[in-house]
Amino acid sequence: MEGGVLIVQRWILARLRHRVFIGLGELNTAIGECLTMLNARPFQLLPGSREEAFKLEQPLLKPLPAKAYVIERFKKARVNIDYHFELEGHY
């Protein structure tokens, strides 16, 4: 998932980096246009595009729950010199 976000971020920023926007609405319109182009682009290794993949998955999507899911875990931890800390065997 994070890899996909990185691809979208880099692809859109690369196309908009030399443009000047007067307002947020203009920027949002430009981002929307870039996103539409990116979603229509064919995958490099798989058949189809992001748009086609979404159309296949859309009927399987469920609505968001009415009540937000809250994760609460508390643990005293010391941050290591490399800025990592351990939680349930993960760093």
Side-chain angles (χ1 to χ4, degrees), residues 1 8 22-23 27 36 45 48 50 57 61 64-65 69 72:
M1 177 64 94
V8 171
I22 304 304
L27 174 62
T36 301
L45 302 176
R50 285 177 177 80
E57 296 172 357
L61 295 175
L64 293 174
Y69 183 75
E72 292 181 357

Side-chain angles (χ1 to χ4, degrees), residues 21-90:
F21 300 97
I22 304 304
L24 188 58
E26 186 181 348
L27 174 62
N28 285 337
T29 301
I31 290 172
E33 292 167 358
C34 288
L35 194 57
T36 301
M37 289 186 329
L38 178 65
N39 286 336
R41 279 184 45 200
F43 289 127
Q44 290 182 355
L45 302 176
L46 299 172
S49 66
R50 285 177 177 80
E51 185 176 23
E52 293 169 0
F54 179 71
K55 286 179 183 176
L56 289 174
E57 296 172 357
Q58 190 174 16
L60 303 174
L61 295 175
K62 297 177 182 175
L64 293 174
K67 184 179 177 187
Y69 183 75
V70 179
I71 299 175
E72 292 181 357
R73 282 190 259 174
F74 297 92
K75 174 185 177 178
K76 279 194 166 198
R78 293 184 69 110
V79 178
N80 199 355
I81 194 165
D82 63 358
Y83 303 106
H84 288 82
F85 64 92
E86 184 269 334
L87 177 65
E88 297 178 359
H90 299 280

